[in-house]
Amino acid sequence: MRKLIAIFLSVLLLLAMLVGISCVKSTEADYFEPKVEILSPSNDVELLLGQNILVKTKLSDYTSEYSQVNYYIGSNSVPAAVFTRAQLLDLAQVQDKDAEFVVEVPTTGAVQGRVNLRVEALSFGNEAVTDVKTIVLFVPVGSVAITMIEPQDTDQVILGDSLKFKIDLSSSHGLEYFNELKFFLNDAQMGNPVALTETADTCSFEYIVETSNLEVGNYIFKTEMYSLGGQIVYGLKEFAVLEESSLIDFEILFPENNTVYNIGERIEVRIQIDGSLTLFKDFSAYIYDP
């Protein structure tokens, strides 16, 4: 009888130990405390709209306890990027706890200005933890100014002349955010694009156009500067190509200098045009103080 009691007590003690161990294991999961932290970028950092941004994230506690990490830009309810369960399991092989990793998050479709970057980490218990940073998305602002320097300061050139244009580029954000220039004569592209490698705010260079293969008429020399975010900045210069015998000019025949008129009186203007009328785009008269 004593042997049976001893066996019974031993079995009971063993069951108690097993129950105790299982209770410890069952409560281990209760100690899992999910937390997500955005390590970079920092608050108020300026980033280029339309480009991918690198977001460094930290997950607290066990990596394998997370099911997914979502990345949101602005008020969009659709994640711009997702770190999947499969990626988390791979990460857990090398960073079992307090993992840190980097994800590329696209900003395509976001709005310019201050927006929230929100990271949401989901655990297997459907618990969601988030962290938010405020970033500034900007579109590069630039300008292109074109000046004809040969022949100097003119919008009429003789057929066969070589034209030299000075092109001045500027950007308050820096020209490093612009990657290339394209050149057009009317709607036809000329040559290959020129890569921009400048990191300064301004840059100037020259471009030559030959008119020997052109026809007499009006032309627009246009330069397009392309930003990394897909923006285009234009520069324009209009000019006319004339035959040497078709130069145009005009002279005011009437009124003469120092003619006096009463306020409100109608002024008749007569001019004499030298050259073909078809080469003039329009005619305007102005009254101003000399």
Side-chain angles (χ1 to χ4, degrees):
M1 184 69 179
R2 290 180 178 177
K3 289 183 178 181
L4 290 175
I5 294 174
I7 293 173
F8 176 76
L9 291 175
S10 298
V11 171
L12 186 63
L13 179 61
L14 180 60
L15 287 174
M17 291 176 62
L18 291 174
V19 169
I21 293 173
S22 64
C23 287
V24 171
K25 287 186 176 180
S26 65
T27 57
E28 281 182 354
D30 295 336
Y31 290 100
F32 172 69
E33 296 182 3
K35 179 183 177 182
V36 64
E37 182 182 0
I38 301 173
L39 300 180
S40 66
S42 57
N43 271 321
D44 297 326
V45 66
E46 289 191 343
L47 299 167
L48 182 65
L49 178 62
Q51 296 294 288
N52 292 352
I53 58 177
L54 299 178
V55 180
K56 187 174 183 180
T57 308
K58 179 179 179 180
L59 297 177
S60 297
D61 220 320
Y62 289 99
T63 308
S64 59
E65 293 292 336
Y66 292 91
S67 61
Q68 187 169 296
V69 182
N70 299 319
Y71 297 80
Y72 299 89
I73 299 289
S75 59
N76 200 332
S77 60
V78 178
V82 175
F83 201 74
T84 65
R85 172 63 179 167
Q87 290 174 301
L88 286 166
L89 289 177
D90 290 339
L91 181 64
Q93 298 299 315
V94 292
Q95 297 189 64
D96 181 44
K97 290 187 68 176
D98 301 331
E100 298 180 7
F101 56 99
V102 175
V103 173
E104 283 194 23
V105 180
T107 61
T108 304
V111 296
Q112 183 179 0
R114 293 170 61 87
V115 297
N116 285 335
L117 166 65
R118 181 167 62 93
V119 178
E120 174 190 59
L122 303 176
S123 70
F124 276 110
N126 290 324
E127 184 176 358
V129 289
T130 62
D131 191 19
V132 178
K133 297 285 187 182
T134 300
I135 59 176
V136 181
L137 298 177
F138 71 91
V139 174
V141 177
S143 65
V144 179
I146 302 176
T147 307
M148 185 185 295
I149 57 177
E150 288 185 14
Q152 188 173 3
D153 192 22
T154 183
D155 56 3
Q156 298 177 19
V157 298
I158 302 300
L159 184 64
D161 282 351
S162 293
L163 310 183
K164 183 182 290 185
F165 296 94
K166 181 186 177 186
I167 302 171
D168 295 301
L169 312 177
S170 65
S171 172
S172 58
H173 291 109
L175 293 171
E176 60 188 289
Y177 293 106
F178 293 87
N179 56 9
E180 69 176 11
L181 288 171
K182 291 183 180 180
F183 308 95
F184 299 84
L185 196 57
N186 288 347
D187 293 327
Q189 183 174 338
M190 299 187 298
N192 296 320
V194 172
L196 282 176
T197 58
E198 293 289 334
T199 57
D201 292 344
T202 61
C203 173
S204 298
F205 65 98
E206 296 177 352
Y207 193 88
I208 296 176
V209 174
E210 300 291 346
T211 65
S212 56
N213 58 346
L214 300 180
E215 297 180 353
V216 172
N218 296 315
Y219 290 88
I220 298 176
F221 175 69
K222 180 174 67 173
T223 298
E224 296 181 352
M225 183 167 64
Y226 293 78
S227 78
L228 298 178
Q231 303 296 312
I232 305 177
V233 181
Y234 300 92
L236 302 174
K237 175 63 178 178
E238 298 184 32
F239 63 95
V241 175
L242 311 174
E243 293 181 349
E244 193 164 4
S245 60
S246 62
L247 291 176
I248 55 177
D249 199 0
F250 70 91
E251 178 185 0
I252 299 177
L253 301 178
F254 186 85
E256 298 178 352
N257 278 331
N258 300 320
T259 302
V260 177
Y261 290 91
N262 296 319
I263 294 177
E265 188 176 354
R266 188 180 184 89
I267 299 175
E268 179 183 355
V269 178
R270 294 200 300 268
I271 65 172
Q272 176 178 305
I273 295 177
D274 295 325
S276 173
L277 286 174
T278 60
L279 297 175
F280 283 89
K281 293 179 63 177
D282 55 40
F283 176 79
S284 300
Y286 301 91
I287 297 177
Y288 62 94
D289 292 331

